[in-house]
């Protein structure tokens, strides 16, 4: 995560922050780049709907998702991101749902994370000396909030693992009790309820456990003291 802090100091890579220079100083970088390994999951940061999926940079694509109060461009994702995740333009997505994978660029990969005002249908560039595009937002505060409060898991994968662990560890019969410990308003419909995976990840984060959304042995041992 790269940004300019309140004291004017650059945290992280100066070239990956919002408004870093591009094109030899003729264009602003309108995203924050989040490094990843090609093939890493890219997940939705909130519930939303897919707006567009277009060629972006080299062999990567731009995946635009409307999250209601903000539109996010998850770009530099692989060309098969929608197909491999059963998605299409117009599909609804849930917070934490896998929506794509990091593309292979020259050496490494990243998620080029841009933010826009609600209702935006396409991305924008910002050339030095020109007015800032009206729809363009600075993604830094949202990313810092997500870093401190968000859930960085693949919900579908966690839910599938919970289905198996619910049987092998025999906790699937105590879903009401688990929901109470987690502070969920309603009990999960089953061990593989995606809402359960998200709530578990938040609980793990608060209790200094590995944040994966899965009730495996260590997490279940911690739950049992309360359940």
């Amino acid at each position: 995560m790269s940004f300019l802090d309140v004291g004017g100091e650059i945290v992280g890579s100066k070239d990956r922050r919002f408004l870093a220079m591009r094109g030899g100083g003729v264009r602003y970088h309108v995203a924050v780049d989040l490094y990843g390994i090609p093939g890493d999951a890219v997940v939705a940061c909130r519930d939303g709907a897919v707006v567009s999926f277009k060629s972006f940079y080299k062999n990567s694509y731009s995946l635009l998702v409307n999250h209601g109060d903000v539109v996010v461009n998850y770009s530099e994702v692989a060309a098969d991101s929608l197909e491999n995740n059963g998605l299409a333009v117009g599909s609804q997505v849930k917070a934490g749902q896998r929506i794509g994978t990091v593309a292979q660029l020259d050496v490494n990969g990243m998620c080029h994370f841009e933010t826009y005002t609600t209702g935006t249908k396409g991305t924008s560039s910002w050339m030095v000396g020109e007015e800032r595009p009206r729809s363009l937002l600075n993604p830094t505060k949202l990313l810092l909030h997500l870093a401190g409060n968000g859930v960085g898991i693949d919900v579908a994968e966690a839910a599938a693992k919970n289905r198996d662990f619910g049987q092998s560890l025999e906790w699937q019969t105590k879903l009401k009790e688990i929901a109470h410990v987690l502070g969920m308003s309603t009990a999960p419909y089953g061990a593989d309820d995606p809402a359960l995976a998200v709530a578990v990840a938040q609980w793990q984060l608060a209790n200094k456990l590995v944040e994966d959304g899965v009730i495996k042995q260590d997490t279940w041992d911690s739950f049992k003291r309360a359940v």
Side-chain angles (χ1 to χ4, degrees):
M1 177 64 190
S2 306
F3 60 95
L4 193 67
D5 67 17
V6 294
E9 297 294 325
I10 293 176
V11 177
S13 170
K14 65 180 180 62
D15 294 325
R16 298 303 167 189
R17 65 183 178 88
F18 184 68
L19 298 188
M21 287 298 175
R22 290 290 186 270
V26 301
R27 176 172 56 86
Y28 293 113
H29 184 233
V30 296
V32 172
D33 290 332
L34 306 173
Y35 281 117
I37 298 172
D40 277 353
V42 175
V43 303
C45 64
R46 296 179 181 174
D47 295 353
V50 178
V51 174
S52 69
F53 188 66
K54 298 179 180 180
S55 179
F56 184 72
Y57 173 70
K58 294 191 175 180
N59 65 329
S60 71
Y61 276 67
S62 160
L63 174 53
L64 202 66
V65 179
N66 182 359
H67 292 296
D69 60 341
V70 66
V71 175
V72 175
N73 177 23
Y74 304 85
S75 60
E76 299 190 16
V77 299
D80 58 3
S81 289
L82 293 190
E83 179 183 359
N84 284 350
N85 290 287
L87 299 172
V89 173
S91 293
Q92 298 293 314
V93 298
K94 303 294 290 183
Q97 178 180 341
R98 180 195 288 256
I99 57 176
T101 52
V102 173
Q104 175 72 61
L105 298 179
D106 291 332
V107 179
N108 295 309
M110 64 188 69
C111 177
H112 174 93
F113 192 96
E114 301 175 357
T115 49
Y116 295 90
T117 56
T118 183
T120 299
K121 302 295 184 182
T123 60
S124 298
S125 59
W126 186 4
M127 307 305 291
V128 174
E130 295 183 358
E131 289 188 6
R132 175 175 178 158
R134 292 184 178 181
S135 62
L136 180 65
L137 300 173
N138 183 343
T140 303
K141 287 185 178 180
L142 173 58
L143 285 169
L144 289 174
H145 172 77
L146 291 170
N149 302 280
V151 175
I153 66 167
D154 183 333
V155 174
E157 181 179 332
K161 289 181 179 180
N162 276 334
R163 181 177 59 245
D164 296 334
F165 278 112
Q167 294 176 350
S168 63
L169 297 179
E170 300 182 347
W171 53 255
Q172 77 273 18
T173 61
K174 296 185 177 294
L175 291 176
K176 288 185 179 180
E177 294 88 342
I178 291 172
H180 177 73
V181 173
L182 294 173
M184 300 176 69
S185 57
T186 57
Y189 62 71
D192 59 348
D193 188 339
L196 174 63
V198 172
V200 169
Q202 292 170 332
W203 189 89
Q204 289 170 324
L205 186 63
N207 287 274
K208 296 181 173 57
L209 295 173
V210 175
E211 177 198 358
D212 59 9
V214 181
I215 307 179
K216 51 189 183 300
Q217 191 65 63
D218 59 344
T219 300
W220 178 230
D221 288 342
S222 297
F223 278 170
K224 282 192 291 188
R225 292 191 286 270
V227 171

